[in-house]
Amino acid sequence: MRHILVCFICSFYFISTLTAQVPKTKSTSDIYHSIQKLNFLGTALYIAAHPDDENTRLISYLSNSVHARTGYLSLTRGDGGQNLIGPELRELLGVLRTQELLAARRVDGGEQLFSRAIDFGYSKNPKETLKIWDKDLILSDVVSAIRKFKPDIIINRFDHRTPGTTHGHHTSSAMLSVEAFDLANDPNAYSNQLESTGLWQPKRLFFNTSWWFYGSQEKFEKADKSNLLNVDIGTYYPMLGMSNNEIAALASSQHLCQGFGRLRTRGSEQEYLELLKGDLPKGKNDPFEGINTTWSRIEGGEAIGKILNKIEADFNFKDPSVHLEDLVKAYALLQKVTDTHWKKIKSEELKSIIEAVAGLHLEVFANQAFSNAGEKITFNVEALNRSNKEIVLESVLINGLPTIREPQTLYDNRILKREIAIEIPSDTKYTSPYWLMESSTLGTYTVKDADLIGKPETPRSFTATFNINYDGVKIPITKNVVYKYAKPDKGEIYQPFEIVPEATSHLKDKVIIFADDSPKLIPVTIKAHKNNVSGTIQLGIGDKWKVDSNVQNFSIEKKGDEKTFYFNLTPPELEDESKISSILTVNGKKITKDLVTINYDHVPTQTILMPAETKVVRLNIQKSGQNIGYIMGAGDEVPTSLEQIGYTVHLIDPSDISESSLQKYDAVVLGIRAYNVINELSFKQKYILEYVKEGGTVIVQYNTAGRWADQFENIAPYDLKISRDRVTDENSEVKIIAKDNDLVNYPNKITNKDFEGWVQERGLYFPNKWSKEFTPILEMKDEGEPSTKGSLLIAPYGKGTYIYTGLSFFRELPAGVPGAYKLFSNMLSVGKNKLENKEKIKG
């Protein structure tokens, strides 16, 4: 369990992070704001590549000032990034960042969409990006998003005309948007989509430019702006007690795993939109100018608009329930319109407002967080009318099954409570992120259900529909079934109600390294998700691997309890890579899932079912030295990986570093971005360099250029300049240019074969200038670029050795790449062969 506490003083959409999972209640100001949005029938879609790419200032302005329905299409879920608040990486990081995006949209009022693209890591150009993503597949997702969301205007975060000047994902997102703008209205483009949605032609396409894209503020001031709209997004909302800038800052601060928590800003601020397609608005400050955004936009809408516009003009802030009758009339009229798109959207908005003005509390919650097929579970139904209007609850249906059948009058402030026992149907699907259900490619997730593509989350397994009746008009209001409980130190907590298998199993390490042919005990932990669960457990193994007593019986009495079983796994004699999986058999059904929980205070608890498997690697690896000191930077799994091959790793608190505290280590390693994120190192650097001078080995892993935590004169004992050079092609050719250096010879001979099977990239932020004391070891490049020699540098300093590397060991070691282990072992062993030879001579 990990918790992040960030306190915001909020109103309107904003809920403190401690209650991020509690359903939002609306004040009268919120209700009035919702009515303003109800009376605007216009849609904007913002498109970019990653979580945090979105311009929350503009999204908030369009949603809260213009009152447009506003969506953000993030092509990826940010799976390839790093995590500043916890251990989640890759798929799990994508789940966390998805939830942070949804948290941001709850703040700025937008909606969230996705494609099936995977953030596979940094890409230098769109050619590479679109090849890995499968351009046609992701283009189809963008076209589908436009056809379903039906935006009047589209805004790109990035410039489609500048490939190679920014992240390839960025440029690709704009290129795909420009192409999809016209394809969305082409009946010959992705015609299979037209079974579930219609053609759509947006009116305008913009590029959200700024001085940054022009190179400097001075160049931007001189630029021709005749094709630009400028919008002051610094507007203040008196009813909300907050400016648009403040809302935007709170929204972007939801991206905590990327370190985006920031101060709120206030005051006038300009945003610029360059028109790419469509007609230029005459006023040049309203992107919707000339587009009909009133109720007259739809057939039969004028009568609805007449009612709702009057409510907006005469809104009663003291008693909004006086508008209930007219709101229900408008709802009844809306059910007769033929425009299914706006009918669906505005019906949901109207129902939410009706619920709010009547003070309706409608909720169904389970008495436990998890359940599984066949289990009988108690659901608690609550219904409350806090107005003086007569409202009848005709029925409550949970997943279509009637649970309250007889009409019940909901009297003013008298709560209706019922306990309903339901058996979970045997065909109920597990709840887990839909995009992780199938094996993916490097660049795209596999989603078999076309209806799910683009959705931010998997729809909940259980929903409750409250059928209410006011003045003869029937209104169905649907809620997700939740789990809620209270903790003494936090109060009321909500989390999603999940369907999981009867039991799941967990292999502790996702990669297990065998440095020789000795067997290892492999622990597998089984967790029960029901009472009295029993069956068998075994390991699925590769042909060359052997396991003793492969089938074991298990029985667990109490739900939530765990038991650990051990399997003696013997590797082959020669080097090999394989996978092992944990297989449970319960009541004849095989279960191969591991249940992972992501729990932070700023997002709802996430339950993910992942394959219960791990990679096993048999290496012929040699090493020297034993005790390694490790200074964690921005977070990585390298210490665990080093322990896998027999090192004893000691995590060093930078504040504990003193003149002689490092002498006990055979080598000291600084984790990724350590000098970027640890201010303390500016005071401890002298001790680190002194340790090298006295005979120690220091390995510094990559740091980001220009983002130092403090002012370092130099992170190395000699001149060393970090650049933005990187090699993103993990299969690019690597040349060993210092073939006689111990770094590629002792204790393991490094060859080109050791650079096979790398993942995501070769490395990043390589130095491009260094003093003569450094020896470059490797040379590599991306296609069409000059070679770089800065990925691995070594220099003697006093009696010891200083090594700087931008190679992505933080990705390769957890992925079990054999060559990366051998090379890292050599780095840790530098100088040890000389000591061993001296010992032999003395002997």
Side-chain angles (χ1 to χ4, degrees), residues 778-794:
L778 306 173
E779 181 178 346
M780 60 187 70
K781 67 173 184 174
D782 278 323
E783 182 181 356
E785 295 188 356
S787 295
T788 175
K789 299 180 180 180
S791 63
L792 181 58
L793 302 172
I794 183 171

Side-chain angles (χ1 to χ4, degrees), residues 529-651:
H529 303 298
K530 63 177 291 187
N531 292 327
N532 300 313
V533 63
S534 61
T536 62
I537 178 173
Q538 67 184 97
L539 288 187
I541 59 174
D543 294 339
K544 299 177 183 178
W545 298 72
K546 297 179 181 178
V547 64
D548 298 340
S549 304
N550 196 24
V551 179
Q552 300 182 43
N553 296 317
F554 76 89
S555 179
I556 303 176
E557 292 183 7
K558 191 176 179 182
K559 182 177 184 176
D561 281 355
E562 297 179 342
K563 283 187 179 180
T564 300
F565 295 80
Y566 294 87
F567 295 86
N568 201 39
L569 183 65
T570 302
E573 292 184 6
L574 302 178
E575 290 194 348
D576 186 66
E577 295 180 51
S578 186
K579 280 189 176 181
I580 60 171
S581 60
S582 171
I583 305 170
L584 304 181
T585 302
V586 179
N587 295 325
K589 181 171 63 177
K590 293 190 182 299
I591 303 171
T592 58
K593 296 295 184 181
D594 180 8
L595 188 144
V596 181
T597 300
I598 298 177
N599 187 4
Y600 293 97
D601 286 330
H602 66 301
V603 296
T605 300
Q606 296 298 295
T607 300
I608 305 103
L609 292 171
M610 299 290 288
E613 62 183 23
T614 190
K615 182 178 181 179
V616 287
V617 181
R618 166 69 169 97
L619 287 178
N620 287 318
I621 189 170
Q622 305 297 319
K623 65 184 183 67
S624 290
Q626 183 63 37
N627 294 301
I628 308 301
Y630 202 94
I631 302 171
M632 291 296 291
D636 59 61
E637 300 174 45
V638 171
T640 301
S641 299
L642 297 181
E643 289 173 342
Q644 287 268 11
I645 55 174
Y647 284 106
T648 302
V649 181
H650 307 265
L651 296 182

Side-chain angles (χ1 to χ4, degrees), residues 444-460:
T444 59
Y445 285 116
T446 301
V447 181
K448 291 185 176 180
D449 186 347
D451 290 337
L452 293 174
I453 295 171
K455 292 183 183 295
E457 298 181 284
T458 305
R460 295 287 103 195

Side-chain angles (χ1 to χ4, degrees), residues 265-276:
T265 61
R266 299 162 183 85
S268 178
E269 189 171 349
Q270 299 296 316
E271 284 290 342
Y272 294 90
L273 301 176
E274 179 188 352
L275 183 71
L276 301 178

Side-chain angles (χ1 to χ4, degrees), residues 320-375:
S321 69
V322 300
H323 302 296
L324 182 59
E325 183 177 344
D326 286 337
L327 287 166
V328 171
K329 284 181 182 177
Y331 176 82
L333 288 173
L334 182 58
Q335 304 318 298
K336 299 175 183 179
V337 305
T338 57
D339 188 317
T340 56
H341 174 72
W342 283 113
K343 176 181 176 180
K344 180 179 179 181
I345 294 167
K346 294 303 177 181
S347 289
E348 291 305 312
E349 290 181 24
L350 252 176
K351 285 192 283 186
S352 178
I353 294 169
I354 289 169
E355 186 181 353
V357 299
L360 285 174
H361 165 75
L362 305 171
E363 184 173 76
V364 175
F365 60 93
N367 58 0
Q368 57 194 54
F370 308 111
S371 187
N372 39 70
E375 184 179 16

